[in-house]
Amino acid sequence: MSESPTLGLALGGGGARGLAHIHVLMALDDLGLKPQHIAGTSIGAIVGAAYAAGLSGAEIREHALEAFGTARLVASRIWATRPPSLADFFADGGFRLGQLNAERVLSAFLPRTMPRDFALLKIPLTVMATDFGAGEEVAIESGPLFSALAASAALPALFRPVKRDGRILIDGGIFNPLPFDLLCGRYDLVVACDVTGGPEGLAPGRVPTPVEALVGSSQLMMRSVIHTKMLIRAPDVFVAPKVSRYGVLDFMRARTILSDTASLREEVKVAIGRRLERSDAEDDAQE
């Protein structure tokens, strides 16, 4: 294009698999492109928030490697997120399977320089969550940032739901695992990265454990939602790194995930280049 295109960036949910999103950010940095808007779900919202706060892709990569550098460091940070009292542990109806407080976990692992409110971000950000009571998606764009990110990442089997603005919010991936649909038609170029993957490989004939079945069925559901949305309107650039070999909680394998998905950085740059060349050709044909 003769002028720099406006860019919308969508980053999807997928737990530790979403560390691959960092390569997309590094590709944009390489190209000198900055999104006008970022929309994210779960890990996509978390990585997107760090980028929207002004961190570069390389800085986010280094922080991820440091945050998940050793099992001892991770264990100490998780321990620090435990309920402060027995009363808090049994609040809202007693002990729960998903007892972790996602907002406390985020505070323990995100960079200390992260702003606490959407208004302080340098790039507009939309964070997707699901309203459990109303049974609908919720797009959060203002107010406290960490509670929004916590709601988006609140996988029911792991984290407690988040109370916000009179709603009970859970994992945004249930309704909108890759929110490129919020950006299409609003920007010249929409780039989307899908890290849903699929259930981890099982030995032939082995029945998945209850946790494997729960997580795997969620992944299959999210893939179905994304596929249906793609049939309606696809983003200009869609990438889906091969991340199914990693579990959604494999954050301790951060270095391996980033290494194995490193080719995504060049893939994104090539895909964007081809899309912009096609746009230039279409513009020339119309003149």
Side-chain angles (χ1 to χ4, degrees), residues 1 4 24 34 50 84 88 90 100 103 109 112 118 132 134 137 139 167 192 202 246 257 277:
M1 292 182 174
S4 296
V24 179
K34 281 294 180 185
D88 287 326
F90 287 97
L100 287 174
E103 189 166 354
F109 283 93
R112 300 297 181 192
F118 278 83
F132 185 77
E137 69 176 44
R167 300 174 182 254
L202 296 173
Y246 306 109
I257 294 172
E277 288 175 0

Side-chain angles (χ1 to χ4, degrees), residues 109-187:
F109 283 93
L110 284 176
R112 300 297 181 192
T113 57
M114 283 286 294
R116 294 286 176 152
D117 196 280
F118 278 83
L120 299 176
L121 295 173
K122 297 180 179 180
I123 300 172
L125 175 71
T126 299
V127 173
M128 301 308 300
T130 297
D131 185 323
F132 185 77
E136 61 186 17
E137 69 176 44
V138 179
I140 307 173
E141 298 182 328
S142 62
L145 177 62
F146 276 42
S147 68
L149 298 177
S152 188
L155 185 68
L158 184 63
F159 295 110
R160 298 183 70 168
V162 173
K163 293 181 179 179
R164 181 184 167 110
D165 301 328
R167 300 174 182 254
I168 303 298
L169 302 179
I170 58 174
D171 183 12
I174 293 173
F175 267 88
N176 202 335
L178 183 58
F180 59 82
D181 52 308
L182 303 185
L183 306 173
C184 288
R186 298 173 58 187
Y187 302 96

Side-chain angles (χ1 to χ4, degrees), residues 112-274:
R112 300 297 181 192
T113 57
M114 283 286 294
R116 294 286 176 152
D117 196 280
F118 278 83
L120 299 176
L121 295 173
K122 297 180 179 180
I123 300 172
L125 175 71
T126 299
V127 173
M128 301 308 300
T130 297
D131 185 323
F132 185 77
E136 61 186 17
E137 69 176 44
V138 179
I140 307 173
E141 298 182 328
S142 62
L145 177 62
F146 276 42
S147 68
L149 298 177
S152 188
L155 185 68
L158 184 63
F159 295 110
R160 298 183 70 168
V162 173
K163 293 181 179 179
R164 181 184 167 110
D165 301 328
R167 300 174 182 254
I168 303 298
L169 302 179
I170 58 174
D171 183 12
I174 293 173
F175 267 88
N176 202 335
L178 183 58
F180 59 82
D181 52 308
L182 303 185
L183 306 173
C184 288
R186 298 173 58 187
Y187 302 96
D188 298 325
L189 181 68
V190 174
V191 177
C193 181
D194 174 20
V195 293
T196 305
E200 291 87 64
L202 296 173
R206 183 172 79 81
V207 177
T209 67
V211 172
E212 287 173 337
L214 177 65
V215 173
S217 60
S218 174
Q219 291 161 348
L220 293 173
M221 176 198 70
M222 291 192 291
R223 284 171 59 180
S224 176
V225 171
I226 293 170
H227 175 72
T228 300
K229 292 201 304 174
M230 292 279 287
L231 294 176
I232 298 170
R233 183 167 186 176
D236 300 293
V237 173
F238 177 85
V239 292
K242 295 180 180 180
V243 290
S244 294
R245 75 187 75 175
Y246 306 109
V248 297
L249 298 179
D250 272 348
F251 287 98
M252 289 302 301
R253 300 178 69 188
R255 188 172 298 276
T256 300
I257 294 172
L258 287 167
S259 176
D260 286 353
T261 57
S263 62
L264 180 62
R265 183 174 178 178
E266 289 303 315
E267 180 184 343
V268 169
K269 290 193 287 187
V270 169
I272 290 176
R274 288 175 176 168

Side-chain angles (χ1 to χ4, degrees), residues 10 32 36 74 122 186 282:
Q36 275 66 50
V74 170
K122 297 180 179 180
R186 298 173 58 187
E282 291 170 356

